[in-house]
Amino acid sequence: MELKLDLLSNAIDSLREALEKYEQGSEQKIRAYKFSVLHLSHFLELLFKYHVSQSHPLLIYKNPFSKNIAKENTITLWDAIQFLKNEGAEFSVDFNKDLEWLKALRNDIEHHTFELDILEVRRTLGRIIRATEEFNEHHGLLDVAKHLGGTHLKIYQELVDEYKASLANARIAAKGLTENGETYDCSGCGELGVGAYIGHEIVCQLCNAIDHLYQCFRCEDRFREDQASSWNDEYDEYICEYCSDHIFNRD
Ligand SMILES: [Zn+2]
Ligand SMILES: [Zn+2]
């Protein structure tokens, strides 16, 4: 019984760490993502062992019949998953693939040969959290959110909510791709900070809408359609509303 509680509280501790590192991760702090991956792997391992221990606590040992149980190795994440499969639990193909991906990345990280594509890491961590949540829910195993509070719960819920996770990723993508250091609001989906300035256009990283920018013939800055008007149809020239004000409202 004590063992079971230890597994669960250690699992939740690892999840908290994974969520904190996920939140800290950024272009500058790639190391934080690395630790998020490691903590999340640890969380999953402990969580699935905890699920196995629900059938019998001794089943988390490779050899539950050993005469010296304290010295026995415990099962791996994959043993635990196989046990749950044998019990009739379903693991979706995608969940399996994501777990394989996480395992490979964890190995690479441990052997210092990893290359991190930040968005791929964020997307996959989100997918794994959502799949785990669904698995727990479907099998009535554990309500993870109940064990979290404050910031941890907020980040967890963002990850569980696919739209919120995509929105956070789109903002990070926009920051990375924009050519002038600024991000823009999207006139297509209406989200803030998701547009990147690419090739004189604003390209939304969430809904892919493209806002064409019109160059003002007078100040040569570029403006969205609603801030620029046609100056000369024949030559396809535009004027921004500031220059237009300047010309027409002069005393
Ligand atoms: Zn958009
Ligand atoms: Zn202008």
Side-chain angles (χ1 to χ4, degrees):
M1 191 60 207
E2 210 171 278
L3 187 67
K4 279 205 291 191
L5 286 177
D6 276 359
L7 278 172
L8 183 57
S9 69
N10 288 341
I12 299 294
D13 278 349
S14 291
L15 177 62
R16 286 197 190 105
E17 296 274 353
L19 294 171
E20 276 170 32
K21 296 297 176 195
Y22 175 84
E23 187 75 345
Q24 286 167 14
S26 65
E27 204 74 55
Q28 289 77 34
K29 287 191 179 172
I30 293 177
R31 274 172 65 83
Y33 286 118
K34 183 178 130 172
F35 286 113
S36 186
V37 168
L38 295 175
H39 288 304
L40 190 72
S41 307
H42 200 217
F43 160 69
L44 288 174
E45 190 177 327
L46 294 170
L47 178 75
F48 285 110
K49 280 184 185 176
Y50 168 75
H51 288 333
V52 169
S53 76
Q54 298 290 86
S55 292
H56 195 287
L58 287 177
L59 285 173
I60 68 152
Y61 292 103
K62 287 250 187 207
N63 179 9
F65 308 102
S66 167
K67 285 182 181 158
N68 194 353
I69 197 79
K71 286 206 168 158
E72 279 299 317
N73 287 327
T74 58
I75 58 172
T76 65
L77 170 64
W78 305 96
D79 293 330
I81 287 174
Q82 191 55 52
F83 179 88
L84 295 167
K85 279 182 185 166
N86 294 348
E87 267 198 334
E90 284 159 38
F91 284 82
S92 73
V93 175
D94 284 346
F95 193 21
N96 265 324
K97 274 191 199 149
D98 287 341
L99 289 172
E100 289 287 354
W101 177 91
L102 189 70
K103 182 185 169 190
L105 183 61
R106 194 186 64 184
N107 283 340
D108 290 349
I109 286 175
E110 281 165 354
H111 297 103
H112 312 290
T113 56
F114 71 101
E115 270 189 35
L116 230 44
D117 177 330
I118 292 170
L119 284 173
E120 198 194 350
V121 169
R122 288 180 61 96
R123 283 193 201 106
T124 312
L125 290 179
R127 280 214 306 267
I128 289 172
I129 295 258
R130 283 192 287 284
T132 309
E133 174 78 9
E134 270 172 36
F135 181 86
N136 286 336
E137 219 170 75
H138 182 72
H139 297 283
L141 289 170
L142 179 71
D143 186 354
V144 174
K146 262 192 189 160
H147 296 267
L148 298 170
T151 333
H152 296 120
L153 184 60
K154 195 177 146 272
I155 308 165
Y156 185 79
Q157 281 167 342
E158 265 173 30
L159 279 163
V160 168
D161 181 332
E162 193 167 3
Y163 183 78
K164 283 183 190 161
S166 303
L167 179 58
N169 289 343
R171 287 181 177 140
I172 285 181
K175 263 187 208 154
L177 291 169
T178 193
E179 291 166 4
N180 67 354
E182 283 182 51
T183 58
Y184 296 81
D185 306 339
C186 174
S187 63
C189 62
E191 291 294 356
L192 310 180
V194 288
Y197 184 84
I198 301 168
H200 302 312
E201 287 176 330
I202 292 170
V203 184
C204 177
Q205 299 305 305
L206 186 66
C207 74
N208 297 323
I210 294 174
D211 262 337
H212 290 279
L213 297 178
Y214 298 87
Q215 189 171 30
C216 170
F217 80 93
R218 187 172 172 273
C219 67
E220 297 189 341
D221 273 351
R222 287 171 193 273
F223 297 88
R224 292 188 189 209
E225 200 172 8
D226 59 351
Q227 294 170 321
S229 48
S230 180
W231 175 255
N232 185 328
D233 282 346
E234 207 173 323
Y235 299 107
D236 209 17
E237 282 181 333
Y238 295 86
I239 185 164
C240 77
E241 55 188 21
Y242 312 102
C243 291
S244 165
D245 272 358
H246 185 81
I247 291 173
F248 293 112
N249 300 328
R250 248 194 314 206
D251 291 325

